[in-house]
Amino acid sequence: MSTLAPTDTSDRRTGAAHRKPELIDAVPVRHPGRWAGAVLILLFAALLGQSLVTNTNFRWDIVGTYFMDVLVIQGIGWTLLLTVLSMAIAIMLAILLAFMRQSDNPLFRGVSWTWVWFFRGTPVYTQLVFWGLISVLYPKIALGIPFGPELFSFSTQDVITAFMAAILGLGLNESAYLAEIFRAGLKSVDSGQMEAAEALGMRKSKIMWRIILPQAMRVIVPPTGNETIGMLKTTSLVLAVPFTLDLTFATNGIANRSYLPIPLLIVAALWYLVITSILMVGQYYVERHFGKGVDNIVPAPVKPTPAAAAAKAAKAPKVEDELP
Amino acid sequence: MTITNDLMTRETLVRIDGVHKYFGEHHVLRGIDMTVRQGEVSVLIGPSGSGKSTLLRCINMLETISAGRIHVREELIGYRETRGRLHDLTVKEIAAQRREIGMVFQRFNLFPHRTALQNIIEAPTQVKRQSKVKARSRAMELLDRVGLGNHANHYPAQLSGGQQQRVAIARALAMEPELMLFDEPTSALDPELVGEVLSVMKDLAKSGMTMIVVTHEIGFAREVGDTLTFMDGGVVVESGNPRDIIANPQQARTQEFLSKVL
């Protein structure tokens, strides 16, 4: 290092590196309010804890007895099945409805708008009762030429069972809400993405499915997770159909027979909490998947083909030029 | 270098005749005539709002034209003419025409959820139905060509602006277009990243690609351009050899513009 050039920046930098800077050790701002608040909250938590233990009306023994009861476990199974199937129907319909709403075809836009208007505009309870009564309205469903011969027919009661009616009622209603969520998601994607894909000669359906929707999912997943958790609880309305095997109906039934409503409500509430927590974990992973490249940049999933790897290896010695 | 006789004898690839474009009441293009020959690098300059980007976007139907005709290799763009009437092309036919024309955007528009390699193989595998193996080895060649062979598995967010734009060029080239359109490809870049993109474009020009480049890089126009077209207010003010125009602009408006950007 030249001593003749004391103004040389590299010299100055090395000098600074030798002398360790004195690190700042400032006194942080104190927050007495937080401590007072924490004490209050702890106090209330302790009181709540004490009452949970000492209040015999909770009947924790009954909660324990029925927590793993066969009827309760079966109820969970049905509730989960209702949630999963009705959400699956709702998501498929919502994607279709959102695509239709963005279509150039005015017919598609109209149908999509009307669907959302109707299913969002009437109470889900009413829709469930309606699906339960569909066999009264249409005892037989037949396909044929209007005023002409009938091609085939079936009895409505055989096809639209209580379970079917519950899923249709929940799924169609939910599809209207999800369609709006999906529409918002599709709109959130930069219009340059559509242009870039169009310029590459991709067809609209491919662009939507492969370019726009995957990016929209970042925006779509959080509210859809919210809707799924909402659906889990909304399944308790299926007694309107009536469908009588879900968790709420099962625990209600036991409560009515044993005259012990409170512990059975706790059983149901605890199970709903458990399932919600599991769903939240699932949502975390779904969000991570669709955040790929934007929210979380993980090592890329592409494995180069042997040919590409060889081609790359052959050219590897070539020096890269983009280092700033 | 001047426009060589060699270039003059080549066949016309793009022919723009009397093109007008209205955005509502706004008359953006007011009768543009222009030809681009096979292998020519045609540079469009002009102040913002002059219509140069709109003209470029009309060539691959990102905008529809209001009057006139655009032909690429004697094929009418966007319409079919039968018995004296124009018929809109179907989306399928438009997509087919676009496959022959590559486009590079000011804001790169890479697909953020796909790696560099995935960005490049998307159209060849999905549109041309190439096998993944073939598309990948071709994509790796292209990445090497733009100097990014080691960045195949990077997401756009992990790349600098210059690197993203080079991937975008490779993505357009993967469809093996006859014509490349560049819409202000360096305008969104930090000054020190402009050079790497321009050098890729220079190489591409040398390889004989037909290019229409909207840019503010006068140096690029002078060095690489075969023709320079200066547009203002939706009309072509002056067109010809870039070195002649830059050194000795004939129109007052061109002189005024060049004096500001040089």
Side-chain angles (χ1 to χ4, degrees):
Chain A
M1 208 69 41
S2 166
T3 48
L4 295 173
T7 51
D8 184 88
T9 48
S10 65
D11 203 354
R12 246 191 292 158
R13 257 190 234 130
T14 17
H18 284 305
R19 266 178 282 111
K20 218 177 171 190
E22 195 187 327
L23 300 178
I24 293 169
D25 181 25
V27 180
V29 176
R30 305 293 180 199
H31 297 284
R34 286 184 194 171
W35 287 103
V39 169
L40 263 177
I41 288 166
L42 275 177
L43 199 69
F44 275 113
L47 283 172
L48 187 65
Q50 186 205 19
S51 84
L52 283 176
V53 176
T54 55
N55 187 339
T56 50
N57 291 336
F58 276 114
R59 294 301 301 271
W60 291 106
D61 54 323
I62 302 292
V63 172
T65 312
Y66 285 106
F67 194 69
M68 300 295 278
D69 189 89
V70 174
L71 284 174
V72 172
I73 299 297
Q74 280 175 348
I76 293 163
W78 284 108
T79 291
L80 279 176
L81 200 62
L82 284 169
T83 307
V84 170
L85 289 180
S86 50
M87 279 311 281
I89 290 176
I91 288 171
M92 283 187 288
L93 282 172
I95 292 173
L96 192 69
L97 288 165
F99 282 1
M100 283 167 75
R101 190 72 187 276
Q102 296 218 322
S103 166
D104 298 328
N105 184 336
L107 218 58
F108 284 166
R109 286 202 304 272
V111 169
S112 175
W113 186 90
T114 310
W115 181 285
V116 172
W117 170 75
F118 180 78
F119 284 100
R120 201 174 54 170
T122 49
V124 64
Y125 191 87
T126 310
Q127 289 176 32
L128 284 166
V129 175
F130 185 85
W131 282 108
L133 292 173
I134 193 87
S135 60
V136 177
L137 194 60
Y138 294 109
K140 198 174 81 166
I141 294 177
L143 189 71
I145 299 148
F147 309 109
E150 184 180 299
L151 298 178
F152 72 94
S153 69
F154 49 79
S155 160
T156 309
Q157 243 178 340
D158 296 344
V159 180
I160 313 286
T161 58
F163 181 65
M164 222 18 199
I167 286 178
L168 281 174
L170 293 171
L172 299 196
N173 178 264
E174 184 61 36
S175 73
Y177 289 94
L178 280 183
E180 288 294 283
I181 290 173
F182 276 68
R183 186 164 71 93
L186 295 181
K187 278 189 149 184
S188 75
V189 179
D190 179 44
S191 61
Q193 293 290 309
M194 174 68 89
E195 287 189 349
E198 280 183 337
L200 287 166
M202 291 175 76
R203 297 280 299 279
K204 194 99 177 218
S205 53
K206 269 229 157 106
I207 298 173
M208 287 309 250
W209 195 251
R210 296 186 54 88
I211 307 298
I212 308 295
L213 188 60
Q215 295 181 56
M217 288 307 278
R218 274 184 64 239
V219 175
I220 291 170
V221 170
T224 301
N226 209 24
E227 291 291 311
T228 309
I229 289 165
M231 176 63 87
L232 175 73
K233 274 84 58 82
T234 309
T235 56
S236 60
L237 289 181
V238 292
L239 82 145
V241 171
F243 179 83
T244 55
L245 295 167
D246 75 295
L247 180 57
T248 295
F249 204 95
T251 49
N252 264 345
I254 299 168
N256 290 342
R257 268 176 270 127
S258 57
Y259 300 105
L260 291 164
I262 288 169
L264 268 305
L265 281 177
I266 293 171
V267 168
L270 284 176
W271 273 116
Y272 281 119
L273 265 178
V274 169
I275 300 168
T276 301
S277 309
I278 295 169
L279 289 174
M280 286 165 73
V281 174
Q283 184 182 335
Y284 167 79
Y285 285 102
V286 176
E287 275 184 35
R288 207 172 66 161
H289 173 77
F290 286 109
K292 213 168 47 184
V294 182
D295 297 324
N296 70 310
I297 298 172
V298 288
V302 193
K303 287 186 199 75
T305 56
K312 192 179 170 185
K315 289 179 180 152
K318 207 169 109 179
V319 180
E320 276 297 316
D321 62 343
E322 51 280 331
L323 283 175
Chain B
M1 200 177 94
T2 55
I3 302 183
T4 56
N5 288 330
D6 171 46
L7 188 61
M8 294 303 287
T9 57
R10 283 198 216 147
E11 62 176 304
T12 301
L13 186 65
V14 184
R15 204 174 75 235
I16 298 169
D17 301 308
V19 163
H20 287 258
K21 171 69 184 173
Y22 287 89
F23 285 115
E25 291 290 294
H26 192 36
H27 199 175
V28 186
L29 297 178
R30 299 160 178 259
I32 304 283
D33 298 300
M34 196 174 144
T35 35
V36 180
R37 291 169 193 280
Q38 184 80 50
E40 181 178 338
V41 177
S42 176
V43 181
L44 283 172
I45 60 168
S48 54
S50 60
K52 55 197 192 310
S53 283
T54 304
L55 179 63
L56 201 69
R57 290 164 60 81
C58 286
I59 296 172
N60 73 346
M61 289 154 287
L62 288 178
E63 307 288 353
T64 54
I65 54 178
S66 311
R69 301 280 190 277
I70 298 176
H71 288 86
V72 174
R73 201 180 278 296
E74 296 306 316
E75 191 183 346
L76 183 60
I77 290 291
Y79 302 95
R80 185 182 330 103
E81 198 158 13
T82 34
R83 280 184 239 106
R85 277 216 68 180
L86 288 185
H87 299 258
D88 287 331
L89 292 184
T90 63
V91 280
K92 198 176 170 181
E93 291 164 331
I94 290 173
Q97 286 189 337
R98 280 177 173 145
R99 274 166 225 163
E100 305 299 322
I101 304 168
M103 178 132 185
V104 175
F105 298 86
Q106 183 178 352
R107 303 231 32 106
F108 331 133
N109 294 347
L110 289 181
F111 307 134
H113 61 305
R114 299 282 168 83
T115 61
L117 184 68
Q118 289 171 330
N119 262 281
I120 297 171
I121 66 170
E122 177 68 23
T125 54
Q126 293 300 316
V127 179
K128 281 193 164 175
R129 301 242 159 252
Q130 271 180 18
S131 74
K132 269 211 166 137
V133 178
K134 190 181 165 204
R136 272 185 194 162
S137 66
R138 173 92 182 104
M140 288 309 298
E141 283 171 31
L142 286 166
L143 279 170
D144 281 329
R145 190 166 157 191
V146 299
L148 291 170
N150 293 339
H151 292 66
N153 290 348
H154 285 51
Y155 285 102
Q158 292 169 298
L159 300 172
S160 73
Q163 291 170 337
Q164 286 189 53
Q165 193 60 297
R166 285 187 280 156
V167 173
I169 293 171
R171 177 175 71 174
L173 290 176
M175 288 298 281
E176 289 165 342
E178 286 190 272
L179 169 68
M180 284 283 285
L181 308 175
F182 293 85
D183 188 4
E184 302 197 24
T186 58
S187 296
L189 296 176
D190 288 343
E192 81 264 33
L193 301 178
V194 169
E196 66 190 49
V197 172
L198 290 182
S199 91
V200 166
M201 289 167 63
K202 271 177 219 167
D203 287 345
L204 192 59
K206 260 183 232 153
S207 75
M209 175 62 76
T210 314
M211 296 161 60
I212 304 178
V213 185
V214 170
T215 188
H216 295 298
E217 297 292 332
I218 304 297
F220 176 84
R222 181 163 41 203
E223 193 184 337
V224 186
D226 295 310
T227 44
L228 180 68
T229 303
F230 173 68
M231 283 178 69
D232 190 23
V235 295
V236 172
V237 176
E238 196 167 350
S239 180
N241 183 303
R243 287 149 295 274
D244 295 346
I245 291 182
I246 293 164
N248 190 18
Q250 298 300 305
Q251 302 293 324
R253 186 67 192 92
T254 318
Q255 286 168 13
E256 188 196 341
F257 177 78
L258 285 173
S259 72
K260 281 178 190 155
V261 296
L262 279 175

